[in-house]
Amino acid sequence: MVATLAALAVSALWYGPVFGRARLEEVGPGKLGIRRSPARTAALSAVLLFVTSAMMGHMFARVGQATLDVKWWLYFMMSGGLAIAFVIPSLWISYSQQRISTRLALIDGGFWLVAYLTMGLAFLVV
């Protein structure tokens, strides 16, 4: 739960004050469309981030606490690795097929990297 909440906080910052205006320029009126229900989007995001963080927790449990205690950097290496090797390439492939701008792909890809690293941090400190 802590990892999910941490990723949601990153999302609020990333798509709010940090890159909100830049993203709006890419997806604003006449582009990708308008979100109909921010509450529904937030709820769906929370559920899907929980699934992600639960799987990440399972992955860390399989490595074992004794190993993670000695090699704490594995939290970042593994969570960041998931983002860099799986999530971001999948996103980029989808975006290139849909002809979505490189700028938006960088904003969204950056979010996923920071969100996954934040989830790794949450597992480290909790």
Side-chain angles (χ1 to χ4, degrees):
M1 287 304 284
V2 172
T4 301
L5 294 173
L8 284 169
V10 167
S11 177
L13 289 172
W14 195 268
Y15 293 117
V18 178
F19 288 108
R21 179 166 297 292
R23 190 166 196 284
L24 184 60
E25 291 172 5
E26 295 297 316
V27 300
K31 297 196 178 163
L32 292 180
I34 299 170
R35 256 189 339 197
R36 302 267 183 235
S37 170
R40 182 173 179 229
T41 300
L44 180 60
S45 296
V47 168
L48 295 174
L49 284 169
F50 178 75
V51 170
T52 299
S53 63
M55 189 62 202
M56 196 177 290
H58 173 72
M59 177 184 70
F60 292 136
R62 297 294 299 153
V63 170
Q65 193 61 49
T67 300
L68 293 168
D69 287 342
V70 176
K71 298 179 179 181
W72 57 269
W73 61 86
L74 287 176
Y75 286 104
F76 302 106
M77 198 168 115
M78 293 170 72
S79 61
L82 286 172
I84 291 169
F86 294 100
V87 177
I88 295 170
S90 299
L91 181 74
W92 207 284
I93 290 167
S94 294
Y95 278 17
S96 68
Q97 297 296 321
Q98 298 172 41
R99 298 182 181 163
I100 293 173
S101 74
T102 300
R103 182 181 185 197
L104 184 58
L106 289 170
I107 291 170
D108 289 347
F111 162 72
W112 286 110
L113 178 58
V114 173
Y116 271 52
L117 289 170
T118 301
M119 285 191 274
L121 177 63
F123 280 103
L124 170 65
V125 298
V126 172

